[in-house]
Structures are given as C-alpha cells and as structure tokens.
Amino acid sequence: DDAEIMLVTSATVTGTSRVVVDRMRDKGRKVGLLKIRLFRPFPLAEVRKVLMGVPKVAVIDRNICPGYGGIFAQEIKSALYGQSQNDHPRVFGFIAGLGGRDVKPEVIEEIIQYTEDHDRPEEDIIWIGVKK
C-alpha cells in the first residue's frame, strides 16, 4: 500500500522479484510488486487501481518489439494514459533476460536503484543485463 516504486513483472521473473522486494522492504525501502498473469484480455481496471498514486513504476519485459519497446511497458503506459496527471506514475520500461538469460536478483536490484535515482527515464527503452 505504501510503495513508492512498483515493479511490474510476469512469468518466472516474478519469483525472483518477490525475493528482492521482500529483502528491500525488510530494509525499509518502499517497493511493491504487481504480477501480470493474463495479457489478453488486459486487466485494465485492476492495473489502474494498483498503479494510480504510485510515483514510479518499473516494468520488466523479457521481450522486445522493434521500434516499439517491451510489450508490457507499452500496455501499462496505454492503461494509464489519460488518467489524472496528479496520480499518474512515471513508467520506466526495462528490457532484461532476452534470449533465455536469467534475470538475477542483482539485475532486479539495479532496476530498482535506477528507478529510485532518476526522476524520469533517460531513454524510452532501458536495456539492463543484456548486450545491445
């Protein structure tokens, strides 16, 4: 309920993210986790309910659509578009774990740290733990 950064994940990266989030919360950092279980139909109302009012959202995508970015990050941005600017979170889209690479706890910690350290994303797509 008190998250200042919300991680949005799906599939196997969620288990690792849950461990990292629990560890960070034990240290007093206000990080939360939203797992997307179903992509279509997209859970629009539920996503808005959870994310509105959270200052920053870090979306971890294990996919890329060339020229577009990660599909979950784009769906989250679309879901929040047009909502109240006062409660509208800044969405950071991260690409990690391409080609079957593991997304290790250190990578998730780096994603959270980047999101904490930046007021807004420096790029539309933030590559982390993968070769460009």
Side-chain angles (χ1 to χ4, degrees):
D1 291 334
D2 65 346
E4 293 176 3
I5 294 175
M6 185 72 73
L7 283 180
V8 178
T9 63
S10 66
T12 59
V13 74
T14 303
T16 307
S17 295
R18 188 173 292 119
V19 170
V20 172
V21 167
D22 288 345
R23 191 178 324 146
M24 292 199 159
R25 291 201 64 86
D26 288 343
K27 294 178 182 177
R29 293 170 80 176
K30 296 181 177 183
V31 181
L33 177 64
L34 172 63
K35 177 182 179 180
I36 303 290
R37 291 185 178 186
L38 182 65
F39 189 66
R40 292 286 184 253
F42 192 76
L44 182 67
E46 294 86 352
V47 167
R48 284 180 177 164
K49 181 180 176 184
V50 171
L51 298 182
M52 292 306 289
V54 175
K56 296 178 181 179
V57 174
V59 183
I60 303 175
D61 272 300
R62 295 188 67 175
N63 59 71
I64 182 96
C65 179
Y68 190 65
I71 60 170
F72 283 110
Q74 296 305 323
E75 288 292 325
I76 296 295
K77 289 176 185 178
S78 178
L80 299 173
Y81 182 80
Q83 301 302 299
S84 168
Q85 292 299 329
N86 296 335
D87 293 333
H88 197 283
R90 289 176 299 272
V91 178
F92 293 70
F94 294 91
I95 303 295
L98 291 182
R101 288 181 180 89
D102 288 335
V103 180
K104 297 181 179 182
E106 302 81 39
V107 171
I108 296 167
E109 290 169 3
E110 190 176 342
I111 287 169
I112 293 168
Q113 191 64 52
Y114 180 99
T115 306
E116 282 181 344
D117 292 345
H118 293 80
D119 186 44
R120 40 188 86 267
E122 291 180 349
E123 304 174 61
D124 289 332
I125 301 170
I126 305 164
W127 300 86
I128 193 155
V130 295
K131 296 177 182 178
K132 288 187 188 180

